[in-house]
Amino acid sequence: MTTTIGFLGAGRMASAMIGCLIDKGFDIRVWNRSGEKLAPLVALGATACASPAETVEGCRYVISFMADDVASRAVWLGDDGALDAIEPGTIAIECSTLSHAYVLELADIMEAQNIPYIDAPVTAVPEQVARGETVFLIGAELAVLDRARPVLEAVASKIIHFGPTGSGTVYKLMNNLLGAVHIAAAAELVAIAQKAGLNGEQVAQTFLEGPLASGPAKLTLPGMISGNHHEGIHFTTALRAKDAGYAMQLAQEMRQAVPVGNAACSVFEHATDAGLGDLAQSAIIDILMPRRA
């Protein structure tokens, strides 16, 4: 019998995962706030749904990819939300990057309705997800995780179980905060190098071949050099600012000072406030240097 999965959200990451799961023979039902994003998925064989509640009907698993706490709360708990119609025992897999406090709250609400919950943020770019190379950062009871492995393993290169609910989010938030630090520092390198008259392409090549070239910096430094923040967007400035902000909230929960992370968070918040939120993360260079023509 074909396994049916409900998807809440059809953004870049969710769409890539949906395509991969369809290729592996899964039946997909999907809802998205912006309905125009559903047409390519329907062409692949997915069923478009009119609401989160309709999406989860008859599903053994439900996977959510939402932008933030507000969007996640709306699709699970709002009018026509998924929890209005989900059947007890259906496994909820929350792949969104959310605040730690909200993840724990949502897990408690689902437990009260007998909905097994997996805290499952991911780390990958859409191209990797489409190839079945997703890395899942899991916080869940081991028995629940084992029940979900047939779905997760179909799209995963790694499934890393950190512990109970919330622990996957702890790692994801601090990992993404570290990414913000790397990108902000790389932007400072580019700004100083260009103001000093160094050749941008040479700077990029030297950096990318050097020992300090982290993954996030590799993704963003070419855009900083070229000034092109509109094409090939893997992750926006606003999403990085959101994740960094949630990481700062987590640090406050833990009563842990994170001064370097705080500085990087401020850079991305400044860039988002300056209207660069919908652009690639490389756009933070434009708050350090005048925007190029």
Side-chain angles (χ1 to χ4, degrees):
M1 177 180 290
T2 302
T3 299
T4 301
I5 303 171
F7 261 82
L8 305 175
R12 297 182 186 92
M13 296 287 280
S15 294
M17 188 173 290
I18 288 169
C20 186
L21 287 168
I22 289 174
D23 286 344
K24 298 292 180 68
F26 290 89
D27 182 33
I28 303 297
R29 297 170 61 83
V30 58
W31 170 89
N32 192 68
R33 184 174 57 185
S34 303
E36 65 271 11
K37 291 186 177 181
L38 298 180
L41 301 174
V42 171
L44 294 176
T47 300
C49 298
S51 69
E54 181 183 329
T55 303
V56 304
E57 294 175 358
C59 293
R60 289 179 59 189
Y61 306 92
V62 177
I63 298 177
S64 173
F65 270 98
M66 291 288 110
D68 53 27
D69 289 4
V70 173
S72 176
R73 188 180 294 276
V75 298
W76 287 112
L77 307 175
D79 295 339
D80 284 329
L83 286 185
D84 286 344
I86 197 168
E87 297 178 5
T90 300
I91 295 179
I93 304 171
E94 181 58 89
C95 292
S96 315
T97 302
L98 305 170
S99 73
H100 182 247
Y102 170 67
V103 163
L104 297 181
E105 176 191 352
L106 184 60
D108 286 344
I109 291 171
M110 290 196 180
E111 183 179 2
Q113 292 192 211
N114 193 25
I115 306 300
Y117 179 89
I118 299 180
D119 164 32
V122 303
T123 177
V125 297
E127 291 81 4
Q128 292 173 311
V129 174
R131 294 193 300 265
E133 298 172 1
T134 306
V135 177
F136 288 97
L137 312 171
I138 301 293
E141 294 181 8
L142 187 57
V144 176
L145 172 59
D146 287 343
R147 287 176 57 194
R149 283 188 183 276
V151 170
L152 300 178
E153 289 177 350
V155 293
S157 60
K158 288 184 181 180
I159 299 171
I160 305 169
H161 184 217
F162 285 97
T165 302
S167 56
T169 288
V170 168
Y171 181 85
K172 178 62 186 291
L173 290 178
M174 300 316 296
N175 182 75
N176 279 21
L177 182 63
L178 181 59
V181 170
H182 288 187
I183 295 166
E188 293 177 351
L189 163 67
V190 171
I192 293 294
Q194 291 197 343
K195 286 189 175 182
L198 277 64
N199 177 274
E201 294 301 324
Q202 187 178 39
V203 167
Q205 181 178 352
T206 303
F207 177 78
L208 295 175
E209 293 176 353
L212 300 181
S214 67
K218 286 181 178 179
L219 284 175
T220 54
L221 191 128
M224 294 178 192
I225 297 294
S226 69
N228 182 354
H229 315 304
H230 300 80
E231 298 176 344
I233 298 175
H234 294 104
F235 205 64
T236 66
T237 298
L239 285 176
R240 183 66 69 175
K242 179 267 297 185
D243 288 359
Y246 286 164
M248 299 310 299
Q249 292 176 22
L250 173 61
Q252 291 177 358
E253 290 176 31
M254 302 296 173
R255 298 182 180 180
Q256 174 62 52
V258 284
V260 176
N262 186 51
C265 181
S266 297
V267 170
F268 279 91
E269 289 177 345
H270 182 188
T272 300
D273 291 343
L276 306 177
D278 291 335
L279 302 181
Q281 301 170 89
S282 56
I284 65 166
I285 191 68
D286 288 338
I287 66 170
L288 300 179
M289 302 178 68
R291 188 180 295 271
R292 287 155 285 195

